[in-house]
Amino acid sequence: IGCRSQHQSLELKRMVVQTKGQGFGRGALRVVRRIAFEDLGAHRFWLDVKSRNTRAQTLYRSEGFVLEGTLREAVKLPDGFESLIVMSMLRAEFDARRAQGLELPA
């Protein structure tokens, strides 16, 4: 979301991977992140993740995303509400990871 934003802030709305633990999610995230920064010229690439989804949060942290904050009880569920964790990466952070060989080649 935000591909045409004058603020160059792109959001990864949602990514669902059915087969867990085989690296598909990590691989998809790396490709989407490269597209966001290189092809779409993002300055900031961000996402939110449900607070209960610790597996995804661990993945995003390991891929260089930084915790920005919490949208408290932002999602209504049948049994109550759940908070969303906001995480992001800036272009400078992406470039630094690329220089360290942590990103896909251009």
Side-chain angles (χ1 to χ4, degrees), residues 41-90:
H43 168 72
R44 177 175 175 267
F45 185 50
W46 70 280
L47 54 86
D48 61 55
V49 57
K50 290 181 180 176
S51 58
R52 295 181 198 177
N53 193 347
T54 56
R55 182 182 196 118
Q57 291 173 50
T58 299
L59 167 65
Y60 298 139
R61 273 193 304 277
S62 74
E63 286 294 316
F65 282 80
V66 175
L67 173 68
E68 288 193 347
T70 304
L71 302 174
R72 299 173 3 173
E73 297 187 0
V75 177
K76 185 168 182 1
L77 301 173
D79 61 341
F81 291 88
E82 185 167 8
S83 297
L84 294 174
I85 307 299
V86 178
M87 304 178 84
S88 72
M89 179 179 285
L90 302 177

